[in-house]
Each structure stands twice: as C-alpha cells, then as structure tokens.
Amino acid sequence: MVHEGLDLDVMPGEILGVVGGSGTGKSVLMRSILGLRTPDAGEIEVLGVDARQGDPTSRRHIERNTGVLFQDGALFSSLTVGENVEVPLREYHRDLPDSLRREIALLKVKLAGLSADSIDKLPSQLSGGMRKRAGLARAIALDPPLLFLDEPTAGLDPIGAAAFDHLIRTLQQALGLTVFLITHDLDTLYAICDRVAVLADRKVIVAAPIAEVEQFDHEWVREYFHGPRARAAQTGRERNQESR
C-alpha cells in the first residue's frame, strides 16, 4: 500500500509544491487525482467531480480542465512542436479551422517562452529545457484552471531552472492557474511555492507555507530542509527578496 489515510486540499490559485522521499508515491498521487489510477478506497474530488467514478462524463471533465507537464515533456516524437500543442485542441475543439488551431498553438508556444520558429521543429531538434517548455505549451493549450507539473526543473542547469521557475509563476499569475507541482528542487520550493505538502509515512504529514514546514518535527523534514542545500536555497530567496 503506497498511501493510507492521505488527506490533502489544493487551494484555488496557489502553487502547491509536493515533496517526499523516493517511493513515497508523489507521482501515484498525481495520477490518482487525474483519474489515471483508481485508489482502493477514499474520495478524490477534482473541480467538482469524483475522480474515482471513471464514467465518461467525469473523465472528460477532468481531462478538459487539467493540463499536465510530464518529465522531459513527453512529446510525440514524430510530431512538430505545433502539432503536439494542437493534439488537445483537435480532441476537444474538432470544429476549429486548421488556421485558427495553428494560431492558438503559436500563442501557447510563445507563452511558454519559445520562439515562433520552434513551432515547426521536432522534439529531437530541441534542448531539454526547450522540450519542457513545449510540453508546458501543450499543457496550457486548453486554458485549464488546474495545472500538474512533474519535476519540471529536473535535468536543467541552475540558470535554466530559475528561468523555468519564473515562467511558471508568471503564467500562474497571468492565467489564474492552480498548480500542483511535484519537485525535488529546493530552489523551486523557496522561489515560487505558496505552500509545500510533504509525503512521508504513506500520507501527507504537513501542508503549509514553507516557513512552517521547516519547523515541522519529522526526521525527513529535518534532513531535507535543514541540510546545506536547503540553507543555500533559503539564502538565495532572501537575496532575491532584498533586491526587489
């Protein structure tokens, strides 16, 4: 059993960072919320519907109103960036003219921080950071209110990761998104997350602003939030706040 007695609320308009050791079920939790995995028991309410029902209407409601960025983008390798972004548009807006669908795809590509000419490139022609941005463009193609990000800065250099963090916060504020963000990146937690939920002992042991999470009395929390990397991340946040 991966989870037992897990309880978590995601607040509208927040960026919630989800952390935990390897094997604690962060991705399992995300898939359960999305209805891609059915828990043995319990309740999961997503945007007013029960994700455990599995009926076509509920399934479609969740798919239509959520966007997901998987690790490394998870793009279709045989499709261009633009065609990848158009996939959800073709599924949910079949009556759109091809020209309008391409215009929407181009807008999303630009919102994700890619140049206009990226729309005609294949994923193999992009860097790792560009593939993540292309995946993000596809995730926001339908203007979903709820966005899921699975390790969005994994594999990026510090400058690229910081730029991606800034992009997420900018999009969240501009589009009014609620963001469920799985990460191991302490810099991301300190830079953009409104609250942090910690998975341990098969449940969420704490979900609160990071200053409160730091003080939570648990072995994993102490090791994660009070080690040298955490102190460096906290120092970086304080410097950024002073420079504003």
Side-chain angles (χ1 to χ4, degrees):
M1 185 180 295
V2 179
H3 300 141
E4 184 176 13
L6 187 150
D7 184 22
L8 177 64
D9 291 322
V10 183
M11 309 302 179
E14 75 171 347
I15 298 180
L16 176 71
V18 179
V19 299
S22 299
T24 53
K26 299 181 292 296
S27 294
V28 169
L29 176 59
M30 184 183 79
R31 290 197 296 270
S32 298
I33 296 171
L34 288 167
L36 302 176
R37 180 184 181 278
T38 303
D40 297 328
E43 298 178 356
I44 302 177
E45 182 178 318
V46 183
L47 301 170
V49 302
D50 184 354
R52 297 186 68 234
Q53 286 184 356
D55 64 275
T57 301
S58 297
R59 172 79 255 132
R60 194 167 181 83
H61 177 77
I62 293 174
E63 290 177 352
R64 171 63 182 82
N65 290 284
T66 57
V68 186
L69 172 60
F70 297 99
Q71 293 188 38
D72 199 36
L75 300 169
F76 296 108
S77 59
S78 60
L79 301 181
T80 65
V81 168
E83 290 167 341
N84 267 280
V85 177
E86 287 184 34
V87 167
L89 295 170
R90 290 181 181 277
E91 174 68 20
Y92 291 96
H93 296 292
R94 298 179 181 179
D95 57 340
L96 283 179
D98 291 345
S99 58
L100 180 55
R101 198 158 40 227
R102 183 174 173 84
E103 283 185 30
I104 295 172
L106 178 59
L107 172 62
K108 303 304 180 180
V109 165
K110 290 181 176 180
L111 281 174
L114 292 173
S115 60
D117 62 357
S118 300
I119 196 170
D120 293 317
K121 294 183 178 180
L122 292 169
S124 60
Q125 298 174 294
L126 305 178
S127 67
M130 292 174 70
R131 284 195 298 272
K132 288 179 184 288
R133 288 174 182 262
L136 181 60
R138 185 178 62 186
I140 62 173
L142 297 174
D143 296 320
L146 182 55
L147 183 64
F148 291 84
L149 308 176
D150 190 1
E151 298 285 1
T153 58
L156 299 181
D157 63 79
I159 295 175
F164 204 89
D165 285 342
H166 178 71
L167 173 63
I168 292 170
R169 173 56 85 181
T170 300
L171 289 176
Q172 183 266 332
Q173 293 176 338
L175 304 178
L177 298 170
T178 300
V179 181
F180 182 99
L181 191 160
I182 297 172
T183 187
H184 284 101
D185 193 330
L186 281 156
D187 289 326
T188 296
L189 295 178
Y190 280 100
I192 65 171
C193 291
D194 299 300
R195 289 193 306 143
V196 176
V198 179
L199 279 176
D201 305 329
R202 296 189 292 184
K203 61 185 178 182
V204 175
I205 59 172
V206 60
I210 198 165
E212 295 180 30
V213 174
E214 289 174 335
Q215 305 306 314
F216 189 77
D217 188 16
H218 187 278
E219 181 181 2
W220 189 88
V221 172
R222 289 193 298 271
E223 292 179 358
Y224 187 75
F225 285 98
H226 296 281
R229 293 183 65 191
R231 288 194 292 271
Q234 187 175 16
T235 300
R237 179 190 61 173
E238 293 170 350
R239 288 174 179 170
N240 288 335
Q241 290 176 339
E242 289 174 357
S243 63
R244 290 174 184 172

